[in-house]
């Protein structure tokens, strides 16, 4: 029974931690969605707030099954939790295999998605902050090059463009951001009109698609470790859920096997006092 309790409460604690995290993610996503203006991006792949709501809600429901099933020894909920985790694990492995076998197709679709994000840069504050973070973190600008920002109406490099940011790039592309005490948001103005050799002195000229790929190659051990840790955690939770289901079945089987003996004992205890009194009387005579 000690082993059973260890499995039960370990699974409950793990699910409870992720349940709380998922609730926080959902709350942050809902807050971000409510705080936005009405005319904003409403696409799952391009809306960070909507993505947080969907991912947080899915995690909340899955971990709730694990929490309640582990605490109440409900095999039905535990089996649902186990099945969903196995399905998620298989989907992750399949996605990794497909990404490895069809790298060019994955990169092409990722490029399209990132280009859509650039086009809608000013339409959603959360999307804008996410792009700025990526460009600063990976020291990149645009998708393939800094001139990709010409696809955005605010940065489009045309003589007819009335925007002050025409032919420019966002400030997150600028090279010297980390050394600046006062943020210069105009540092990328007019950069698209420069050649790459001249523009590289002021902004990052490498595209973010290539920048992220280079960062992943440079930090391959970190990426592999995080991926392996996530998969190992899922496997451990699958093992804990399967172990608790097995323990519950064993206990139920022992109870079913022990039920006839207990019924007979109850019958004996009901009739035995009468026969005992009769035997005592016979012995006294």
């Amino acid at each position: 029974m000690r082993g059973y309790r260890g499995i039960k409460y370990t699974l409950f604690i793990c699910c409870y931690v992720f349940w709380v995290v998922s609730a926080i993610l959902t709350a942050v996503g809902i807050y971000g969605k409510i705080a936005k203006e009405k005319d904003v991006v409403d696409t799952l792949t391009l809306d960070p707030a909507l993505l947080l709501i969907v991912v947080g809600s899915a995690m909340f429901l899955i971990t709730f099954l694990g929490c309640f099933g582990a605490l109440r020894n409900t095999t039905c909920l535990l089996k649902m939790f186990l099945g969903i985790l196995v399905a998620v694990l298989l989907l992750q492995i399949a996605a990794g295999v497909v990404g490895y076998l069809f790298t060019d197709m994955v990169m092409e679709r990722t490029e399209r998605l990132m280009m859509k994000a650039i086009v809608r840069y000013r339409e959603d504050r959360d999307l804008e902050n996410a792009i700025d973070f990526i460009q600063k973190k990976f020291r990149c600008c645009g998708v393939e090059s800094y001139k990709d920002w010409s696809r955005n109406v605010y940065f489009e490099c045309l003589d007819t463009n009335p925007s002050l940011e025409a032919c420019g790039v966002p400030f997150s592309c600028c090279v010297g951001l980390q050394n600046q005490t006062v943020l210069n948001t105009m540092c990328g103005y007019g950069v698209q009109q420069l050649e790459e050799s001249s523009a590289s002195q002021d902004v990052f000229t490498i595209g973010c698609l290539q920048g992220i790929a280079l960062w992943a190659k440079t930090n391959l051990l970190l990426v592999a470790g995080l991926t392996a840790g996530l998969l190992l955690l899922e496997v451990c939770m699958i093992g804990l859920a399967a172990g608790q289901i097995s323990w519950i079945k064993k206990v139920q089987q022992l109870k079913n096997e022990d039920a006839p003996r207990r019924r007979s004992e109850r019958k004996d205890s009901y009739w035995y006092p009468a026969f005992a009194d009769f035997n005592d009387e016979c012995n006294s005579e």
Side-chain angles (χ1 to χ4, degrees):
M1 292 302 293
R2 289 181 181 177
Y4 165 69
R5 287 176 182 172
I7 292 173
K8 173 180 178 178
Y9 290 110
T10 302
L11 179 60
F12 172 75
I13 291 170
C14 290
C15 290
Y16 181 76
V17 170
F18 282 102
W19 185 65
V20 173
V21 171
S22 64
I24 294 172
L25 289 177
T26 306
V28 171
I30 292 172
Y31 173 77
K33 198 69 179 172
I34 293 173
K36 287 181 183 179
E37 298 176 1
K38 293 183 179 179
D39 299 329
V40 294
V41 180
D42 200 20
T43 307
L44 178 61
T45 53
L46 297 178
D47 190 346
L50 187 59
L51 187 62
L52 280 177
I53 292 172
V54 173
V55 174
S57 299
M59 281 182 60
F60 186 87
L61 292 174
I62 294 170
T63 51
F64 175 78
L65 293 175
C67 279
F68 194 78
L71 194 62
R72 303 297 298 173
N73 296 326
T74 310
T75 55
C76 179
L77 295 180
L78 285 173
K79 286 179 180 178
M80 289 175 63
F81 175 71
L82 178 62
I84 293 172
L85 278 186
V86 170
V88 169
L89 180 63
L90 292 177
L91 285 174
Q92 288 174 339
I93 294 173
V97 173
V98 170
Y100 179 76
L101 295 177
F102 303 98
T103 307
D104 294 336
M105 184 182 70
V106 172
M107 294 292 283
E108 183 182 348
R109 296 202 173 183
T110 305
E111 181 182 346
R112 272 190 233 159
L113 180 64
M114 293 174 70
M115 202 65 76
K116 286 181 181 178
I118 283 181
V119 171
R120 298 180 176 180
Y121 176 72
R122 293 293 191 198
E123 296 178 17
D124 185 351
R125 190 67 180 174
D126 291 336
L127 180 63
E128 183 179 334
N129 291 333
I131 293 174
D132 287 337
F133 172 78
I134 290 171
Q135 292 190 145
K136 286 187 285 187
K137 173 66 179 177
F138 298 103
R139 303 174 68 83
C140 58
C141 188
V143 179
E144 293 183 339
S145 74
Y146 64 101
K147 292 190 177 181
D148 290 333
W149 280 103
S150 189
R151 303 213 178 178
N152 186 281
V153 293
Y154 294 94
F155 301 99
E156 191 175 10
C157 198
L158 292 175
D159 294 335
T160 56
N161 189 358
S163 174
L164 293 174
E165 297 176 308
C167 295
V169 295
F171 73 94
S172 55
C173 291
C174 295
V175 173
L177 280 180
Q178 296 178 352
N179 300 325
Q180 291 181 358
T181 307
V182 179
L183 184 63
N184 180 15
T185 57
M186 301 173 64
C187 56
Y189 280 25
V191 170
Q192 291 186 49
Q193 295 176 325
L194 303 177
E195 294 296 330
E196 185 173 348
S197 56
S198 301
S200 61
Q201 298 177 4
D202 298 319
V203 298
F204 304 116
T205 56
I206 186 174
C208 287
L209 193 62
Q210 185 181 355
I212 294 172
L214 287 174
W215 182 88
K217 289 179 181 178
T218 307
N219 300 275
L220 188 60
L221 290 176
L222 176 62
V223 174
L226 291 174
T227 305
L230 178 62
L231 294 177
L232 182 62
L233 180 62
E234 291 178 2
V235 170
C236 288
M237 294 184 73
I238 288 171
L240 289 171
Q244 186 168 357
I245 291 171
S246 177
W247 270 100
I248 292 171
K249 286 183 177 179
K250 285 181 181 180
V251 171
Q252 289 177 346
Q253 185 178 359
L254 289 173
K255 285 183 178 180
N256 292 333
E257 291 176 356
D258 200 36
R261 184 179 63 83
R262 289 187 177 181
R263 283 197 296 268
S264 63
E265 286 179 355
R266 282 198 297 268
K267 289 180 181 179
D268 292 342
S269 64
Y270 179 76
W271 291 104
Y272 179 76
F275 287 109
D277 294 339
F278 177 75
N279 291 331
D280 291 340
E281 291 177 1
C282 291
N283 291 331
S284 62
E285 291 176 358

